[in-house]
Each structure stands twice: as C-alpha cells, then as structure tokens.
C-alpha cells in the first residue's frame, strides 16, 4: 500500500486477479474482455475499498475509540464545580478531534506514508531517500535504481534544494534529525506500554459500579489477568481471531454513538452549543490555571492518533479516511456529547461518567463489549510497537532481536518475543503500581503529545523536500499544529510528578539503547570503511592470494558494499589456506519499505577471472525479513551462475569492480532473440532468466547441456569451464566466514564515549542475538574470525 495514488493501484491489482479467475469460464473477444475487465475493476475496487475500511476499524481505531472510557474523569479528577465547564471541555474535545486526528493525520500525515508504511521511521526513510541525511552512509548508487526507491529531483536553487543542502552540510544536523526520530520512536514504545494499561483498567472499572463494595485491588487484579493473557497469546498469532476485531470495534462505536444520542435527547440537548469555540474562551477565562491543567485530561481524547499512522501499513489511505469520516468521528462526537449531557444533570458521577450514563438494561452487554474493545485497542498498540522495533532494527537503530512471522498470509503480522515480555512486565507494573486511571492517563498524555510534536517537525521537512509545498501552506500547517500541541504539552508537563514521569523514564531507557546501538554500529562501519583492503594489494598476491586454494566456496560476510573488508586480510594472514572461490556477501537494509525479490541480489567480480572472487550484495527493505531457509543459499548461487553467463556476453567487463547485473538491466524489444549479445536477461528470483516474452529456466540449463548450447547462452568454453568449476566447488562444501569483532574505545576517548562503547554497547552485544543467528548462518558450516578494533 502506498500513498493515495498507489493505493488505488493495489486495489486494481487485486481486482485484476479476481477478474482473471472469472474470465476463464467462457471465451470472449479481446475488446469485450477489455471492457468487462475495466468495468469489473471499478466495481470490485469500490467493494474492496469498503471492505478494507470496515477491517481498518479493528486494527487502526481501537485505541482512539476506547478514549471515552476515561477522558472526563481525567479532565475533572477533583469533581465538577460549574456545569458550564462541561460545555467548555466538550468544545475543546470537539475541536481537538477535528484539528488533530481528522485534519492533520487522516487527511495530511497519512499521505506522507512510505509506500503504505507509517510511523516516525517511515518518515525518516522518506527523508533519507531525498537527502543524504543517513548517518551510516552504506548506500550505493545502484540502490537508487530500485523500483521501490522512489524519490523526486529538484533544482538546487529552489527552496527544497536549499533545505536539502542545509540538512546535508553539517553532521550535527543529521544527528539531530536522528535524535528527533529516536525520541518519537521511544515515546511510541512508551505509549505501547501505557495504552493497554489504561484501556483495560478503565474497561473493567465498570465492575465496581455494579458492586460498590468491591475492592479496587480486585479490579486491578482482573485487569492484570487480562493483560497477562493478552501478552501470553501473542506468539500464537491472531489469524484465527483477527476477523473478530472489526465487528467488535464497529459494535463498540455504534453502541457509544447510540448511547450518546440517547443521553443528549434524554438529559440536555443544550450541550450541542459546544460546537461554538466561544465556550473554549469562556472555559479558560472562568477556570484560569485549573482549566489549563485540565488539558492533560482532554488530551486523552486524541490518544491513539499516532497508532493510526503507525498501523497504516495494513490498509490504503482512502479506506482509513472513509472509516474515520463515516463511523469513528461522528460516533466519538455523539459519545462525548452524550456523556456531557448526562453529567450536566449528574455532576457527582464524573468518576464513572461512562458507565453511569449507560441505561441499566444494556449495562452488562456494554461492559463486555468495552472489555473486548479495550483488548483489541491494546493489541493494535502492541502490533504497532512490534512494527516500529522491526523498522528500527532494519535501520541499525536497535539491537538484534528475534522476529517471528505469525501469519503466512500477512507479512505485517510479526511477534518479537523479547520485546513482548518486556512490554508485559512494564505494563503489568504500571497497572498494579498506579491502580487508578488518573495517573496512568497523565503518563499516556505525556507520551502522546511528544510523539505528535515529533511528527509535526518531521512533516515540515516532508512538505518542503518531498511535497514541495508553498511556504505559506507549510507555515499554516506548522502554526496550527504547534499551537494545539505545545498548549497540550505545557499542560502535561505540570503533571510530571503525577504519573507523567513514567513515559519519560521508559522512553529515556529505550532512547539510550537505540542511540548507543546506532552509535556503536556507525563507529564499526567507519572502521571497516577506513581499514578496507585495497584491490592493488589483492592483485599483488596473485591468483593464489599467496595461500593454498582448497576446494570449496567461502562466503565472507561483510558490511561493506564495496571493497575488500579488513577481516579478510586478517583471515589470510593468520591461516595458510583459502577456498578456491571466495564470495563477499553484504546483507544490508535500505531506507525503503521493501526490495522486490527480482532486484534483491547484486553481483560483481573482484579482480581478474582467475582470482575466482566475487561480491554479492543482498538488499532488503525494513519491511522484508531475512528468513532461515535453504532457498537463500540456492538463490545466491543461481545469481552467481547467471552473472557468469551474462558476463561472457559483455565485452570489457570481466575485470571491472563496477560491473553488475543491475547495470545490464535495460529495456529490450520483445523480438530480440534470447542468445542476442545485447539481450539484458533481467534476473527473476524464481530461478529464471526472462527476455521479452521468453522464459528460460536456470535449472533446465544447468541439467541439460543440449538446451544450454541450443539457446546460445553458453557459447564461450571458458564460461562453461567456470560454471563447472563453481559447481565442483559448491559440491566440495560451503563455509560461512563471519567476523567476531570486539569493539573498544580508544584510550584517549572522552568519558561518555568510553561509557557508551565499553559498557553499554558491549553489554547490548552480549545480550542480543549473535550475528550468525541474525544472518541465519547454519552453525555446522560457520567459521568465526576474531579481532579487536579500537574506535
């Protein structure tokens, strides 16, 4: 899924699949088939869009929909002194919902997605593609040729060009941008801990209303049991029950909207005058500082807005907009207005405003639906946290952790065991520690408003660099957003000592982890770049590299996309032998959501042919997963064989380090024969070479020499010999060579650098997954090469 334009392409693509299945029933002429396809595409795309809008309710809007459970209690924790304050508070809620979730996020921020991926890291990836702001410069010019590496060009003298140049000029600005992203991401993780706590606790709080003598500890215990059960079920995946999420949340919205309308009609229709912003002015004039402090509670009416953007990857933007404008927004307005109407006549019931306003006849059904909706909202937040951690991991901003895909159908359904148990422990601790909604609400409000501020600042750069909006439009967006968010921020800061410190402490811990890990990874990469071995030194050793070349293939893993890594020189100077074929494998993640499998592998040759040395760069997006399967190694060797074939058809490229398969992939006419020297033969990851309308299987070629010769692919005897040699070496055995590097700070380093590298980074490396596990290297063929570097 992508921006507004690309989401329609997604829908059209799915609809074409459906039409293809249908049209097989009976033959038709080409023109009739084309017209039918066009008609069916439009019809089916509308139906699919409505279906996705319905499904988005269960994934995206659960958190935002459960806010009516606790907003008025957190706004008036000490009771309501003047009923007119309810009108002012309701007016603030109405305009907050209009300005932030509706206008800012649903219609503006959601359009700034990275091919359907949302969140702070998705915005950062967009910026990294349009400006050289990535602090680890491991990108190659060939990466920009990827079909998913979408970027726009602009004049250097334009305002966008000047902004780009200003960002790139100084490393401090790049680092400041990264810090901003990490702060926002840390707060999202903090919100992932607080949202389940406040949602579930507020939902089960209704039990006490029907049983006044029940102890608060019993309510907390019930909430803790539900939370433990929720986190414990994560590893099973949600495919079997996820279909229930949308109906539950839709039922919840219809219930709170219907109850709200009933209460407006029954108690006080006068609350509808809150649509006038005049009552906001009167509210602040009458209450002064107390009204200003109450903004921390009103802020909770828009919690879940960031989760809306973070969970965007599941649905196209139009479906999000349809669901919000037709169901979520009106139902929330009716729900809050209904509670305000009830409280106008029952000001003493503010502590249980939601459950007290429910008609007695449907009390228990609503309680059950509220609890189910709170669980769904918590699940959405947990999934958003998992998704964010995966994005951070791909961008070298988080220690290596195990990622498990829980669904064969949906790539976005993931489970991270280590993070799951950490979230559970912290969430249960917050719930059992505070025991009430007020302090947890203060904590949640602090996290949410900081994330919104970060998103606003990142959106300024997106609007200038990528959208190239006029500076007046950028100024209007920035002004409106910051006025609302800074006002809320100033209020929640005053409640730091009333629970607001919790997300700050949690976010600080995760920020230190992410920043130190990124800093250590950056220093290690800089060392690799500066200490890489020159090609001249390799050539000086001769084809044998000054060693005994033993049968077999050595896969040397490195972080360098160019050049020979230092670990290789360390290896050959300490051991007397090296494999007959050496392949330097660089697995790297790019600031794109995904890399198509047909463009994933990039092969080059290092040195002359008789050196038998290659480089293979394997590229992934932050949405992709480097899975443990035998097909990875198989695909790698298929690409290597294909490279040798293609190389023989290119003149003057055999000794070039810049030569690659991607350099050859230019568009060719369909009538060019397969054995034509100019045929580009784009590589597909299903083990085929395609040319125009022709498809030739690599496996067929490798097992049938007659077919190979007749196709003209192997007309060069030297090429045949090299392919046979590669096959013999592969049969002899494949060894995976990894560097087991210990990183230490230099003696003359500053105190904080020594703390970061020698203690925090070293500790994180010990407790995180080993590099061999992250790369899915088979243990039985692993060879570690140890070294110590000082940075």
């Amino acid at each position: 899924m992508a921006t507004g334009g690309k989401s329609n392409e997604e829908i059209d693509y799915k609809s074409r699949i459906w039409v293809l299945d249908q049209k097989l029933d009976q033959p038709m002429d080409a023109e009739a088939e084309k017209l039918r396809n066009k008609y069916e595409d439009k019809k089916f795309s509308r139906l699919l869009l409505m279906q996705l809008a319905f499904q988005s309710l269960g994934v995206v809007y659960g958190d935002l929909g459960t806010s009516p459970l606790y907003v008025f209690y957190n706004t008036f924790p000490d009771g309501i002194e003047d009923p007119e304050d309810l009108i002012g508070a309701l007016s603030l809620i109405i305009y907050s919902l209009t300005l932030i979730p509706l206008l800012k996020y649903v219609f503006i921020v959601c359009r700034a997605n990275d091919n359907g991926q949302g969140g702070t890291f998705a915005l950062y990836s967009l910026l990294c593609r349009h400006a050289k702001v990535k602090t680890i410069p491991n990108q190659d010019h060939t990466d920009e040729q990827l079909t998913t590496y979408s970027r726009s060009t602009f004049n250097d003298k334009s305002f966008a060009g000047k902004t780009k140049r200003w960002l790139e000029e100084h490393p401090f600005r790049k680092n400041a941008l990264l810090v901003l992203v990490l702060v926002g991401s840390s707060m999202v993780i903090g919100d992932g801990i607080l949202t389940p706590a406040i949602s579930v606790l507020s939902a089960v709080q209704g039990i006490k209303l029907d049983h006044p003598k029940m102890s608060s500890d019993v309510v907390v215990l019930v909430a803790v049991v539900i939370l433990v059960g929720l986190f414990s079920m994560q590893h099973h995946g949600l495919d079997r029950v996820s279909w229930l999420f949308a109906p539950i949340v839709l039922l919840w919205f219809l219930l709170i909207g219907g109850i709200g309308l009933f209460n407006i009609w029954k108690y006080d229709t006068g609350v509808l005058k809150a649509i006038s912003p005049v009552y906001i002015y009167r509210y602040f004039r009458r209450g002064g500082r107390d009204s200003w402090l109450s903004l921390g509670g009103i802020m909770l009416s828009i919690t879940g807005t960031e989760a809306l953007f973070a969970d965007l990857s599941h649905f196209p933007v139009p479906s999000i907009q349809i669901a919000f404008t037709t169901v979520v927004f009106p139902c929330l307005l009716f729900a809050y207005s209904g509670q305000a109407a009830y409280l106008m006549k029952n000001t003493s019931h503010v502590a249980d405003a939601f459950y007290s306003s429910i008609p007695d006849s449907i009390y228990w059904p609503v309680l059950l639906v509220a609890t189910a909706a709170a669980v769904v909202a918590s699940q959405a937040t947990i999934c958003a946290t998992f998704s964010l951690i995966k994005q951070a991991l791909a961008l070298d901003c988080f220690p290596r952790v195990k990622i498990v895909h829980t669904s064969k159908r949906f790539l976005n359904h993931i489970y991270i065991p280590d993070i799951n148990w950490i979230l559970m422990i912290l969430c249960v601790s917050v719930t059992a520690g505070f025991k009430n909604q007020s302090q947890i609400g203060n904590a949640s409000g602090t996290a949410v408003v900081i994330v919104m501020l970060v998103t606003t600042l990142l959106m300024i750069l997106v609007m200038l660099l990528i959208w190239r909006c006029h500076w007046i439009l950028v100024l209007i967006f920035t002004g409106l957003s910051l006025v609302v968010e800074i006002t809320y921020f100033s209020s929640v800061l005053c409640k730091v000592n009333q629970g607001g410190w919790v997300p700050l402490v949690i976010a600080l811990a995760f920020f230190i982890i992410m920043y130190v890990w990124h800093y250590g990874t950056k220093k290690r990469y800089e060392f690799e770049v500066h200490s890489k071995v020159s090609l001249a030194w390799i050539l000086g050793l001769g084809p044998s590299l000054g060693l005994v070349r033993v049968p077999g293939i050595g896969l040397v893993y490195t972080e360098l996309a160019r050049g020979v890594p230092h670990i290789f020189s360390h290896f050959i100077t300490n051991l007397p032998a090296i494999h007959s074929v050496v392949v330097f494998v660089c697995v790297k993640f790019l600031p794109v959501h995904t890399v198509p499998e047909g463009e994933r592998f990039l092969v080059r040759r290092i040195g002359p042919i008789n050196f038998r040395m290659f480089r293979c760069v394997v590229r992934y997006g932050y949405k992709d997963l480097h899975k443990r399967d035998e097909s990875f190694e198989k695909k790698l060797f298929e690409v290597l064989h294909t490279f040798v074939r293609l190389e023989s058809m290119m003149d003057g490229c055999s000794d070039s380090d810049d030569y690659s398969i991607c350099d050859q992939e230019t568009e060719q006419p369909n009538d060019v024969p397969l054995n034509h020297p100019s045929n580009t033969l784009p590589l597909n990851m299903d083990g085929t070479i395609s040319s125009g309308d022709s498809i030739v299987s690599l496996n067929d070629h490798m097992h049938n020499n007659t077919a190979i010769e007749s196709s003209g692919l192997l007309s060069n005897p030297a090429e045949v010999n090299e392919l046979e040699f590669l096959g013999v070496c592969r049969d002899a055995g494949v060894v995976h060579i990894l560097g087991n590097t210990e990183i230490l700070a230099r003696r003359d380093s500053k105190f904080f650098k020594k703390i970061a590298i020698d203690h925090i980074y070293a500790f994180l490396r010990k407790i995180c997954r080993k590099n061999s596990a992250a790369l899915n290297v088979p243990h039985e063929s692993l060879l570690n090469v140890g070294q110590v570097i000082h940075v």
Side-chain angles (χ1 to χ4, degrees), residues 415-675:
Y415 165 67
I416 306 178
D418 299 332
I419 301 301
N420 182 69
W421 302 124
I422 292 173
L423 291 179
M424 187 192 76
I425 292 171
L426 293 175
C427 185
V428 169
S429 300
V430 168
T431 306
F434 285 134
K435 298 182 180 181
N436 66 80
Q437 307 168 29
S438 179
Q439 289 184 313
I440 301 178
N442 294 335
S444 181
T446 304
V448 170
V449 72
I450 292 177
V451 177
M452 289 181 177
L453 283 169
V454 169
T455 301
T456 298
L457 297 177
L458 292 176
M459 279 299 301
I460 295 173
L461 295 176
V462 169
M463 294 176 79
L464 291 174
L465 278 178
I466 303 171
W467 293 352
R468 301 180 207 173
C469 298
H470 195 279
W471 65 269
I472 294 179
L473 294 177
V474 179
L475 191 62
I476 293 173
F477 170 81
T478 307
L480 288 176
S481 298
L482 291 182
V483 164
V484 176
E485 291 161 7
I486 289 178
T487 303
Y488 278 126
F489 184 61
S490 64
S491 176
V492 298
L493 277 183
C494 295
K495 297 186 177 182
V496 170
N497 62 339
Q498 301 174 29
W501 57 271
V502 172
L504 299 179
V505 172
I506 294 172
L508 179 63
F510 277 97
F511 174 81
I512 291 173
I513 290 172
M514 290 194 287
Y515 186 80
V516 170
W517 182 264
H518 183 81
Y519 179 75
T521 304
K522 175 186 173 184
K523 289 299 179 183
R524 188 180 63 195
Y525 180 80
E526 290 174 351
F527 174 86
E528 293 286 347
V529 170
H530 292 120
S531 62
K532 64 183 178 181
V533 181
S534 67
L535 186 60
W537 183 78
I538 295 291
L539 295 176
L541 296 176
S544 67
L545 301 178
L547 304 170
V548 177
R549 301 295 291 265
V550 298
I553 297 179
L555 301 182
V556 182
Y557 288 83
T558 173
E559 296 181 1
L560 298 179
R562 287 184 177 273
V564 178
H566 176 265
I567 192 70
F568 183 70
S569 64
H570 185 68
F571 178 82
I572 64 176
T573 53
N574 287 275
L575 291 175
I578 190 67
H579 299 89
S580 299
V581 177
V582 176
V583 182
F584 296 98
V585 181
C586 173
V587 178
K588 68 175 182 177
F589 287 83
L590 301 176
V592 295
H593 74 291
T594 186
V595 175
E597 289 205 355
E599 305 173 59
R600 180 154 294 163
F601 290 82
L602 185 68
V603 180
R604 299 184 180 99
R605 185 186 292 278
I606 299 178
I609 292 178
N610 58 350
F611 275 58
R612 312 291 188 190
M613 296 175 64
F614 303 89
R615 175 182 294 107
C616 180
V617 181
V618 190
R619 303 173 293 186
Y620 292 92
Y622 54 78
K623 181 182 173 182
D624 299 326
L625 180 68
H626 180 56
K627 296 183 290 186
R628 177 188 291 274
D629 53 18
E630 296 178 357
S631 63
F632 174 77
E633 189 174 302
K634 179 182 176 183
K635 289 175 183 177
L636 191 151
F637 286 113
E638 285 179 351
V639 171
L640 196 60
H641 282 129
T642 306
F643 171 80
V644 174
R645 290 170 175 157
L646 294 174
E647 186 185 44
S648 68
M649 292 185 282
M650 304 294 292
D651 294 328
C653 293
S654 60
D655 296 336
S656 173
D657 189 51
D658 292 328
Y659 176 67
S660 69
I661 289 178
C662 286
D663 293 335
Q664 307 168 46
E665 292 182 2
T666 55
E667 197 171 313
Q668 296 291 334
N670 289 342
D671 56 354
V672 176
L674 187 62
N675 58 355

Side-chain angles (χ1 to χ4, degrees), residues 124-125 127-140 143 149 167-168 170-171 173-175 177-178 391-397 518 521-522 525-526 588-592 620 622:
Y124 182 63
S125 297
L127 294 173
C128 286
R129 294 207 300 272
H130 288 80
K132 297 178 181 179
V133 294
K134 195 176 180 184
T135 54
I136 301 180
N138 63 344
Q139 291 175 227
D140 193 74
D143 298 334
Y149 200 96
L167 278 174
E168 297 173 346
H170 203 285
R173 292 165 191 159
K174 299 179 184 179
N175 197 53
L177 180 61
L178 176 66
Q391 291 178 7
L393 182 65
L395 295 174
D396 294 316
C397 293
H518 183 81
T521 304
K522 175 186 173 184
Y525 180 80
E526 290 174 351
K588 68 175 182 177
F589 287 83
L590 301 176
V592 295
Y620 292 92
Y622 54 78

